[in-house]
Amino acid sequence: MNAVIAPHDLTGTTALVTGASSGLGRRFALTLAAAGAAVGVVARRLDRLEQLVTEIRGAGGRAAAVCLDLTRTADIDPAIDAVEAALGPVGVLVNNAGMNINKPILDVTEADYDTVMATDLRAVFFVAQAVARRLVGRGTGGRIVNIASLAAERAVQGLGVYSAAKAGVAQLTRAMALEWAARQINVNAILPGFIETELNTRLLNSPAGQKLVQSFVRRRVPDPSALDGLLLLLASPASAAITGSLFVVDDGQGFTVH
Ligand SMILES: NC(=O)c1ccc[n+]([C@@H]2O[C@H](COP(=O)([O-])OP(=O)(O)OC[C@H]3O[C@@H](n4cnc5c(N)ncnc54)[C@H](OP(=O)(O)O)[C@@H]3O)[C@@H](O)[C@H]2O)c1
């Protein structure tokens, strides 16, 4: 039997968090750093990433920021190279960056569709592939945590293309877990319900959003710390036997969101 381990100690691990310039990604980076990981943070807004790196270093952690537009597939590998040059080989990926264009399906343009799919599905695929190729090459195994959404499983007004992309992320998670299981790369997904971030502040503060929140069984919207425990579990040695799993974290919202 394996020795009992401190489940969330990530000392000696390098984690890469996409979309860390705000919202959930920022929180994920802070949480992983607090658990001892060196954290590479990528997004387009470099000023925000640099503030985050300063904050992590100020608390005694290690971090590095790299500017990356994830829709530019050719830029993904050089960005990971830069993170690894600064912090060492990436062992944990949090594939978090995402966006939405909230529109009824009848109004969605081809450009809207392509933008959402390029960010929320294609980039998730190619970042995971790039990190997994490195993990396979090194033979080290690792952890990939894809951030999908409750919308992968529920239809929500205005989120048609986003829902399809997130359902794709959920199914990619299972496919990647299957193909990489023998390489000791664990791939899981978190499906958050509504959590207040820049992605949905406007919606949640609108009359329709307020009505939606009042329809939730707990009549509230959690903050990003709601995901801390699950993220740490999925990034850490404690989840060695968990792969290909999808975890809904929605504060019970799914009971009333259809
Ligand atoms: N908040 C929720 O209620 C909720 C619920 C379910 C799922 N999610 C998912 O959680 C993830 C994080 O969302 P959030 O709520 O934290 O939203 P957010 O505050 O808007 O953050 C989105 C992040 O993605 C980055 N990003 C977007 N497009 C990018 C691109 N082309 N290249 C690089 N980075 C890009 C943004 O950085 P830059 O703009 O600086 O590039 C930002 O850091 C998303 O995948 C979202 O779908 C959120």
Side-chain angles (χ1 to χ4, degrees):
M1 197 183 303
N2 291 329
V4 174
I5 47 168
H8 300 146
D9 184 4
L10 298 178
T11 306
T13 302
T14 296
L16 171 64
V17 181
T18 69
S21 57
S22 68
L24 303 186
R26 178 183 150 74
R27 178 74 188 186
F28 293 148
L30 289 167
T31 302
L32 294 168
V39 186
V41 291
V42 302
R44 292 165 300 185
R45 287 170 292 177
L46 187 58
D47 54 333
R48 286 188 175 216
L49 295 177
E50 283 171 345
Q51 280 170 19
L52 175 61
V53 166
T54 302
E55 197 174 327
I56 290 171
R57 288 184 183 153
R62 293 177 64 216
V66 178
C67 182
L68 172 64
D69 181 344
L70 287 153
T71 63
R72 298 166 69 101
T73 308
D75 293 348
I76 291 172
D77 252 314
I80 302 173
D81 284 341
V83 167
E84 294 195 328
L87 301 174
V90 170
V92 171
L93 165 66
V94 185
N95 222 341
N96 161 77
M99 53 85 66
N100 178 42
I101 297 172
N102 197 314
K103 277 188 182 177
I105 290 172
L106 291 177
D107 297 341
V108 169
T109 65
E110 190 175 352
D112 296 334
Y113 183 96
D114 288 345
T115 302
V116 174
M117 284 292 176
T119 312
D120 291 356
L121 185 58
R122 197 181 66 195
V124 167
F125 179 92
F126 284 107
V127 174
Q129 183 195 58
V131 168
R133 283 179 172 164
R134 290 162 193 253
L135 294 171
V136 168
R138 293 176 183 131
T140 54
R143 296 279 191 278
I144 296 177
V145 183
N146 293 324
I147 306 304
S149 168
L150 183 62
E153 299 189 338
R154 297 283 196 288
V156 182
Q157 292 285 349
L159 299 188
V161 182
Y162 177 85
S163 298
K166 293 297 188 178
V169 171
Q171 194 57 13
L172 269 183
T173 298
R174 296 188 179 102
M176 289 172 173
L178 171 66
E179 292 201 8
W180 301 336
R183 317 283 196 155
Q184 308 310 322
I185 301 169
N186 290 20
V187 190
N188 294 292
I190 301 178
L191 281 61
F194 285 97
I195 294 179
E196 190 156 4
T197 66
E198 288 172 32
L199 188 77
N200 54 29
T201 304
R202 214 171 53 177
L203 168 72
L204 291 174
N205 290 319
S206 69
Q210 290 294 311
K211 202 172 149 199
L212 179 69
V213 174
Q214 288 310 309
S215 76
F216 296 159
V217 282
R218 289 182 171 159
R219 295 186 167 77
R220 67 181 188 188
V221 177
D223 70 57
S225 67
L227 303 179
D228 292 356
L230 181 58
L231 176 78
L232 287 171
L233 171 66
L234 296 179
S236 77
S239 59
I242 302 175
T243 194
S245 295
L246 313 179
F247 296 89
V248 172
V249 181
D250 71 348
D251 202 36
Q253 294 165 10
F255 291 126
T256 52
V257 175
H258 302 292

